[in-house]
């Protein structure tokens, strides 16, 4: 540099000319004499040293180069930090922080450390905290639980206390910044997003039998009758009247017709028998499918209203007929218990009915929902249901009058979010549980909330030990799940592109414990992962067995009387599991928007009730802490087991060098799905050519075999580069050298990902300046509308400070030898990590290959061609839904061919991507 600068010094005007009239420097100006050269070299080097050591760091300290400048304490979400773009600057910071690393638990040590944290008494205390009062979505009690969970995240994750509450209206700059800046955060963070869906609450309700003379002969008592033995149920007996969420406001009068479970097959049987349902009131029992689809089927056949009751035949052997006493004095059903619940048409689309496919902001444009009923309905207890059944069986012809008036309005709900940044910030593991309940909700959802509470405590303990996950972890406490997966769906629709770009997997926990049998639902990519992690944990009540052995457990309350039809229905549901024993995902919890809409590999698990377990009072006032501690899980051993499993799965998904997805199992599961569909098509006499689809599946199987070998080789290559033991065992002692190498890995990962930033969401793009009032209130002034629209569509938003792109960032010059150089990752480590990142990209996007932009026929919100909730089941998952329903429901050979071709193309594209 000094030589070049010397040659560019101004020269005297004296020149000589050649014959061609071109100027030629005089000989004495062509080369500096040796003394001058040495002098220039000395002073140039001194100036260069002064610039790099003193002047350059001083320049970089100014806010224009990205160092945070003082600003209003509430001008951005709490603890959202600027991350330097320049790879060299990131490298310098990472190396500097690696010089003094405390010993931290890693690998198996981190897993074992977390497994020591969940304990019974803490889980009981958490359950009592959240189930001590009603917390219906949108209520004051619901807001209190949101603030309680936010306090938990701030306390355990060591989030610095903000100057103002981090509660942001959805759609505001602050709300969007909180999520979109996750990739750039180095510190933990927690906040609340407020969405504004349309919900309803009950007003006037009644049910009467009216004689031919117009006189009322019977009036039902629609409310549950509490017993003093359950103090919480007694205290809140009238807090949330028995009603259906999102039910139609209206009145109906007609003759009563019984329709069994209200399945599509039940209504088809009535039609075949010549029964005319027009203008009738339909009586059905709970079970078999989602309650909203019972109303939908009746409405499509012209019914005027629907009544749904709880039937003792669905309680298995735990009935008074088998000499079991009713709750609260025994394990059988309280005959006055009523199951509240949403009657949204869940299989059409979930979430806010008035904002399908886009988020429910306070000022969102709203439409008339097409996934809610247009006829009224009411839930009934066994006492009322039995009375009406006796009247029907007695041959009486009578008229029923149903009144259901509800208050339907835009209602605020609160999603609580917490972030634990990882070394790899563009790969995120989301862990979620919904928090709202119909009344007390000690089981649904507070058993899951208590388990997540223990996991958060475990994360906090690890963080205090200096641990940081390899991938970022996002904790979510969803709201308004009970109305139709509202909180998670609105957030998913709000951050669709961010989820697609960053989320690797979603772990869901809903009701953690309501019986004795462990059950899991998941994408086939995670079937083996669930079984393997469950096998590593002890059985909650039998130390000689593993948690996975609990998949065969059943209750101890047996008896002679057990309804055969109800048992057959329960057995049929269990047959849907794959050969590992994991059920497909439907739409029965908050994983729906992740897997069905975005193609994010997901799982959910917990203990479910069998026909010989104490009767769980679903969505009743008797879903209380007393029932949970006395009958559901005495001692909370199962709560702790679920918490440990959830924590182990979270740590392993976030810390595994290669994402533990089994694509080969998925490919072979597809073949088994196709076998069943071919059998169904043959039984329905549908002629279809499935050979091209089967060939595509076979191609995917072969490509997956190759990927399996690549995964193994890449992981071994990276472990060797990081210094892992050759015997594939994890470390049993703290290893500061490995920690240092992981920091270098973190540094180099920033280098790799920065090269691809232009092709991903423009996270390093320009950012609007946010005024303090706008950030706090969520009010976006007109001059910022364009920026907000841009960030909404592209996912571009980072901390509201001056930010420059990679190319604009000034690079620190390197010192020449013999000055010390910043430590660089070894070339082997660089190559190994690049290879692992490439393979992980294939694994993370495998499930997304089934997402089709046109969605499923007649329910376009659902986009996953591999699995979806059954059109007439709602809760349960239907594999290959478009093809399956073309065979079983439409019975249309042309439609079968169309769906088979869509699947073939999707599967071939997945195979091509994993071969690349």
């Amino acid at each position: 540099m000094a030589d070049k600068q010397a040659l560019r010094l101004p020269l005297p005007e004296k020149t000589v000319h050649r014959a061609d009239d071109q100027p030629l420097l005089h000989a004495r100006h062509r080369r500096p004499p040796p003394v001058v050269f040495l002098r220039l070299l000395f002073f140039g080097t001194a100036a260069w040293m002064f610039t790099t050591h003193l002047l350059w760091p001083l320049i970089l300290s100014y806010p224009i180069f990205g160092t945070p400048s003082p600003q209003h304490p509430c001008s951005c979400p709490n603890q959202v930090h600027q991350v330097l773009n320049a790879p060299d600057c990131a490298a310098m910071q990472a190396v500097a922080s690696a010089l003094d690393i405390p010993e931290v638990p890693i690998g198996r040590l981190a897993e074992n450390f977390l497994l020591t944290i969940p304990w019974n008494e803490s889980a009981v205390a958490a359950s009592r905290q959240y189930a001590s009062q009603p917390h219906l979505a949108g209520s004051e009690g619901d807001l209190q639980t949101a603030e309680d969970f936010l306090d938990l995240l701030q306390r355990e994750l060591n989030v610095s206390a903000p100057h103002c509450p981090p509660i942001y209206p959805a759609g505001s700059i602050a709300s969007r910044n909180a999520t979109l800046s996750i990739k750039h955060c180095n510190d933990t963070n927690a906040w609340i997003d407020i969405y504004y869906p349309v919900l309803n609450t009950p007003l006037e309700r009644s049910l009467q039998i009216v004689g031919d003379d117009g006189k009322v002969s019977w009036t039902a008592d629609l409310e549950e009758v509490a017993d003093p033995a359950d103090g919480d149920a007694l205290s809140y007996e009238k807090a949330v009247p028995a009603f259906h969420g999102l039910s139609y406001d209206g009145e109906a009068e007609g003759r009563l017709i019984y329709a069994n479970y209200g399945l599509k097959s039940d209504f088809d049987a009535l039609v075949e028998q010549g029964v005319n349902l027009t203008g009738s009131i339909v009586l059905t029992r709970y079970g078999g499918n989602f309650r909203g689809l019972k109303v939908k089927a009746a409405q499509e056949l012209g019914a005027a209203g629907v009544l749904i009751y709880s039937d003792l035949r669905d309680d298995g052997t735990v009935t008074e007929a088998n000499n079991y006493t009713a709750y609260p004095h025994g394990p059988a059903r309280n005959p006055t218990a009523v199951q509240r619940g949403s009657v949204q048409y869940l299989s059409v689309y979930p979430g806010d009915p008035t904002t399908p496919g886009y988020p429910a902001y306070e000022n969102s444009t709203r439409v008339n929902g097409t996934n809610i009923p247009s006829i009224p309905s009411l839930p009934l207890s066994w006492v009322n249901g039995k009375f009406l059944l006796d009247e029907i069986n007695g041959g009486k012809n009578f008229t029923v009058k149903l009144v259901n008036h509800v208050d339907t309005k835009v209602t605020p709900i609160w999603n609580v979010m917490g972030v634990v940044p990882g070394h790899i910030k563009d790969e995120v593991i989301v862990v979620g549980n919904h928090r709202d309940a119909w009344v007390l909700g000690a089981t649904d959802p507070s058993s899951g909330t208590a388990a997540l509470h223990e996991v958060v405590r475990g994360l906090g303990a690890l963080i205090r030990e200096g641990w940081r996950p390899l991938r970022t972890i996002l904790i979510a406490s969803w709201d308004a799940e009970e109305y139709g997966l509202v909180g998670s769906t609105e957030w998913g629709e709000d951050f669709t592109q961010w989820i697609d770009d960053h989320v690797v997997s979603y772990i869901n926990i809903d009701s953690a414990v309501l019986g004795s049998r462990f059950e899991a639902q998941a994408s086939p990519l995670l079937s083996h992962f669930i079984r393997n992690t469950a096998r590593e944990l002890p059985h909650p009540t039998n130390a000689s067995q593993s948690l996975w052995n609990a998949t065969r457990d059943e209750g101890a309350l047996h008896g002679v009387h057990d309804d055969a039809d109800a048992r057959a229905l329960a057995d049929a549901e269990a047959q849907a599991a794959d050969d590992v024993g994991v059920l497909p995902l439907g739409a029965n919890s908050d994983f729906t928007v992740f897997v069905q809409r975005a193609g994010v590999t997901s799982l959910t698990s917990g203990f479910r009730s069998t026909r010989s377990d104490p009767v769980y009072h679903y969505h009743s006032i008797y879903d209380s802490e007393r029932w949970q501690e006395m009958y559901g899980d005495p001692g909370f051993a199962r709560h702790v087991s679920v918490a440990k499993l959830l924590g182990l799965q979270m740590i392993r998904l976030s810390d595994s060098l290669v994402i533990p997805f089994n694509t080969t199992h998925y490919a072979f599961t597809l073949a088994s799905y196709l076998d069943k569909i071919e059998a169904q098509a043959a039984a329905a006499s549908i002629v279809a050519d499935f050979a091209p689809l089967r060939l595509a599946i076979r191609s995917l199987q072969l490509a997956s075999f190759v990927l399996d070998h690549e995964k193994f080789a890449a992981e071994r290559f990276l472990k060797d580069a990081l210094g892992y033991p050759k015997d594939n065992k994890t470390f049993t002692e703290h290893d500061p050298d490995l920690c240092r190498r992981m920091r270098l890995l973190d540094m180099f990962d920033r280098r790799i990902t920065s090269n691809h930033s232009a092709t991903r969401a423009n996270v390093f793009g320009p950012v609007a300046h946010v005024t303090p009032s706008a950030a706090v209130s969520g009010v976006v002034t007109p001059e910022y509308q364009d920026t907000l629209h841009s960030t909404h569509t592209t996912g571009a938003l980072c901390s509201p400070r001056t930010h420059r792109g990679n190319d604009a960032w000034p690079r620190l010059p390197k010192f020449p030898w013999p000055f010390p150089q910043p430590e660089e990752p070894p070339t082997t480590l660089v190559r190994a990590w690049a290879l692992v990142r490439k393979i992980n990209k294939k694994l993370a996007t495998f499930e997304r290959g089934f997402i089709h932009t046109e969605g499923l026929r007649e329910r376009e919100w659902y986009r996953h061609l591999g699995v979806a909730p059954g059109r007439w089941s709602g809760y349960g998952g239907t594999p290959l839904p478009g093809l399956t329903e073309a065979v079983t429901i439409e019975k249309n050979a042309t439609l079968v061919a169309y769906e088979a071709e869509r699947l073939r193309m999707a599967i071939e594209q997945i195979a091509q991507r994993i071969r690349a």
Side-chain angles (χ1 to χ4, degrees), residues 203-483:
L203 297 174
E204 178 189 359
R205 296 150 301 108
S206 66
L207 177 64
Q208 299 173 328
I209 292 180
V210 181
D212 293 337
D213 56 0
K215 293 182 179 181
V216 176
S217 61
W218 175 77
T219 299
D221 183 357
L222 298 177
E223 305 304 337
E224 297 173 282
V225 180
D227 188 296
D230 190 329
D232 287 343
L234 181 65
S235 298
Y236 299 107
E237 180 181 19
K238 307 296 183 184
V240 182
F243 82 111
H244 280 149
L246 297 178
S247 57
Y248 180 76
D249 181 279
E251 302 180 6
E253 189 171 336
R255 61 193 180 96
L256 190 67
I257 297 177
Y258 178 62
N260 195 26
Y261 283 111
L263 303 174
K264 184 68 167 59
S265 57
D266 292 325
F267 283 105
D268 290 343
L270 290 174
V271 171
E272 290 177 3
Q273 295 169 16
V275 178
N276 183 5
L277 275 74
T278 303
S280 66
I281 306 295
V282 175
L283 176 66
T284 73
R285 59 199 271 202
Y286 278 111
N289 63 349
F290 183 66
R291 68 187 73 80
L293 299 181
K294 303 176 191 290
V295 180
K296 184 176 188 291
Q299 177 181 306
E300 291 183 355
L301 291 174
V306 176
L307 303 170
I308 312 177
Y309 75 98
S310 300
D311 197 309
L312 297 187
R313 288 176 290 177
D314 297 300
D315 293 341
T317 58
V318 190
T319 61
E320 292 184 275
N322 285 322
N323 299 318
Y324 293 107
T325 305
Y327 185 81
H329 304 288
R333 178 180 299 278
N334 185 298
T336 70
V338 178
Q339 181 189 138
R340 297 158 182 79
S342 173
V343 287
Q344 180 189 74
Y345 300 163
L346 195 59
S347 61
V348 177
Y349 64 88
D352 175 32
T354 66
T355 58
Y358 57 95
Y361 297 158
E362 189 172 17
N363 60 351
S364 288
T365 301
R366 301 183 185 272
V367 300
N368 292 325
T370 58
N371 68 334
I372 51 177
S374 58
I375 60 174
S377 64
L378 284 174
L380 301 179
S381 66
W382 165 243
V383 170
N384 291 326
K386 183 177 184 301
F387 180 86
L388 294 175
L389 282 175
D390 290 343
E391 292 294 296
I392 293 174
N393 294 333
K396 297 180 181 179
N397 188 11
F398 54 91
T399 299
V400 171
K401 183 178 181 180
L402 181 162
V403 175
N404 181 61
H405 291 305
V406 291
D407 181 18
T408 302
K409 60 185 178 182
V410 174
T411 306
I413 62 172
W414 302 274
N415 288 340
V416 188
M417 317 297 289
V419 177
V420 180
H423 293 283
I424 307 173
K425 294 182 172 59
D426 64 345
E427 292 181 2
V428 180
I429 306 298
V430 183
V431 183
N433 158 256
H434 82 88
R435 191 187 63 258
D436 65 298
W438 283 111
V439 193
L440 297 169
T443 297
D444 183 10
S446 296
S447 62
T449 307
L452 185 57
H453 177 279
E454 294 304 286
V455 172
V456 172
R457 288 182 56 244
L459 275 176
L462 279 170
I463 290 171
R464 287 188 288 274
E465 291 292 317
W467 172 86
R468 169 175 285 197
L470 184 60
R471 298 176 182 86
T472 293
I473 296 173
L474 176 63
I475 305 291
S477 175
W478 309 116
D479 204 355
E481 187 269 359
E482 297 293 4
Y483 276 90

Side-chain angles (χ1 to χ4, degrees), residues 53-247:
H53 277 279
L54 297 177
L55 185 59
W56 194 256
L58 183 63
I59 293 173
L60 289 181
S61 67
Y62 278 84
I64 190 173
F65 290 106
T67 301
S69 57
Q71 54 182 302
H72 192 280
C74 298
S75 64
C76 64
N78 177 44
Q79 292 298 306
V80 176
H81 292 280
Q82 183 77 19
V83 173
L84 299 178
N85 287 342
D88 285 324
C89 294
M92 296 287 283
Q93 291 181 343
V95 171
S97 63
L99 295 177
D100 183 21
I101 300 174
E103 294 184 348
V104 297
I106 57 174
R108 183 73 68 178
L109 278 176
E111 295 175 0
N112 292 340
F113 184 91
L114 183 138
L115 294 178
T116 65
I117 302 302
W119 64 300
N120 307 55
E121 292 183 14
S122 177
V124 170
S127 180
R128 291 174 179 174
Q129 176 185 5
Y130 290 101
S132 61
Q133 63 178 352
H135 44 290
L136 182 69
S139 67
E140 287 296 323
D142 182 35
L143 176 58
Q144 182 60 57
T145 61
E147 292 173 345
D148 289 346
F149 199 84
L150 177 65
D151 179 69
L152 170 73
L153 293 175
Q154 291 175 335
R155 182 178 67 253
E156 294 294 338
L157 303 185
N158 194 29
V159 177
S160 300
H163 294 274
C164 57
I167 303 177
Y168 312 124
S172 67
I173 292 287
S175 172
R176 294 191 58 73
N177 187 40
T179 294
L180 297 177
S181 293
I182 287 175
K183 182 178 178 180
H184 311 308
C185 289
N186 284 324
D187 293 338
T188 55
N189 190 23
W191 70 94
I192 295 176
D193 288 322
I194 312 175
Y195 288 91
Y196 298 88
V198 169
L199 307 179
N200 65 4
T201 52
L203 297 174
E204 178 189 359
R205 296 150 301 108
S206 66
L207 177 64
Q208 299 173 328
I209 292 180
V210 181
D212 293 337
D213 56 0
K215 293 182 179 181
V216 176
S217 61
W218 175 77
T219 299
D221 183 357
L222 298 177
E223 305 304 337
E224 297 173 282
V225 180
D227 188 296
D230 190 329
D232 287 343
L234 181 65
S235 298
Y236 299 107
E237 180 181 19
K238 307 296 183 184
V240 182
F243 82 111
H244 280 149
L246 297 178
S247 57

Side-chain angles (χ1 to χ4, degrees), residues 733-764:
E733 305 248 345
H734 296 298
D735 186 353
D737 289 336
L738 179 60
C739 292
R740 180 182 60 81
R741 285 188 290 271
M742 291 303 292
R743 294 295 181 94
L744 293 176
L745 193 63
D746 180 20
M747 169 195 71
F748 185 70
D749 185 62
R750 297 188 190 185
R751 288 176 175 241
I752 295 176
T753 55
S754 67
N755 294 332
H756 303 288
S757 61
T759 60
R760 298 176 67 92
N762 184 22
V763 295
F764 292 120

Side-chain angles (χ1 to χ4, degrees), residues 554-810:
E554 61 180 20
L557 306 179
H558 300 285
V560 176
H561 302 285
D562 189 6
D563 186 76
D565 292 339
R567 176 175 285 278
L569 187 62
D571 292 342
E573 293 174 354
Q575 296 301 316
D578 63 14
D579 57 3
V580 175
V582 176
L583 292 164
L585 294 165
N588 54 316
S589 197
D590 290 301
F591 54 76
T592 301
V593 70
F594 290 93
V595 64
Q596 312 291 2
R597 183 79 173 172
V600 173
T601 302
S602 305
L603 68 89
T604 187
S605 60
F607 284 89
R608 304 293 174 249
S609 182
T610 68
R611 297 183 62 77
S612 54
D613 277 311
V615 175
Y616 166 53
H617 295 73
Y618 188 40
H619 294 173
S620 160
I621 61 170
Y622 289 123
D623 182 4
S624 64
E625 189 64 25
R626 180 183 184 273
W627 183 89
Q628 183 61 258
E629 293 186 25
M630 180 174 290
Y631 294 107
D633 187 18
F636 272 49
R638 293 189 177 94
H639 282 72
V640 172
S641 289
V642 172
K644 289 182 177 181
L645 178 67
L646 180 62
L648 179 61
Q649 291 172 340
M650 177 189 66
I651 294 294
R652 196 157 292 178
L653 280 171
S654 63
D655 274 0
S656 295
L657 297 178
V658 175
I659 301 170
F661 290 172
N662 192 330
T663 58
T664 300
H665 177 69
Y666 203 131
F668 278 87
T669 301
L670 289 173
S672 67
Y673 291 160
L674 185 57
D675 291 341
K676 295 178 181 178
I677 292 174
E678 282 189 315
Q680 292 169 335
S685 301
I686 296 175
V687 178
D689 182 12
F690 294 110
L693 176 57
R694 189 170 292 281
L695 185 62
I697 293 174
R698 180 59 179 166
S699 175
L700 180 61
Q701 292 170 351
L702 295 175
S704 184
F705 282 142
V706 175
L707 182 60
D708 286 339
H709 289 284
E710 292 177 353
K711 284 162 50 181
F712 176 82
E715 184 172 15
R716 184 67 267 169
F717 185 24
L718 181 56
K719 285 183 176 181
D720 289 344
L722 287 170
Y724 272 68
K726 295 293 184 181
D727 57 4
N728 257 336
K729 295 180 180 178
T730 55
F731 288 92
T732 58
E733 305 248 345
H734 296 298
D735 186 353
D737 289 336
L738 179 60
C739 292
R740 180 182 60 81
R741 285 188 290 271
M742 291 303 292
R743 294 295 181 94
L744 293 176
L745 193 63
D746 180 20
M747 169 195 71
F748 185 70
D749 185 62
R750 297 188 190 185
R751 288 176 175 241
I752 295 176
T753 55
S754 67
N755 294 332
H756 303 288
S757 61
T759 60
R760 298 176 67 92
N762 184 22
V763 295
F764 292 120
V767 181
H769 174 71
V770 185
T771 63
S773 59
V776 175
S777 66
V779 178
V780 182
T781 54
E783 58 266 30
Y784 305 131
Q785 286 287 353
D786 291 342
T787 301
L788 180 60
H789 174 72
S790 174
T791 59
H792 178 75
T793 55
T794 67
L797 195 63
C798 58
S799 180
R801 300 163 180 154
T802 304
H803 203 98
R804 304 182 64 176
N806 287 343
D807 295 336
W809 188 265

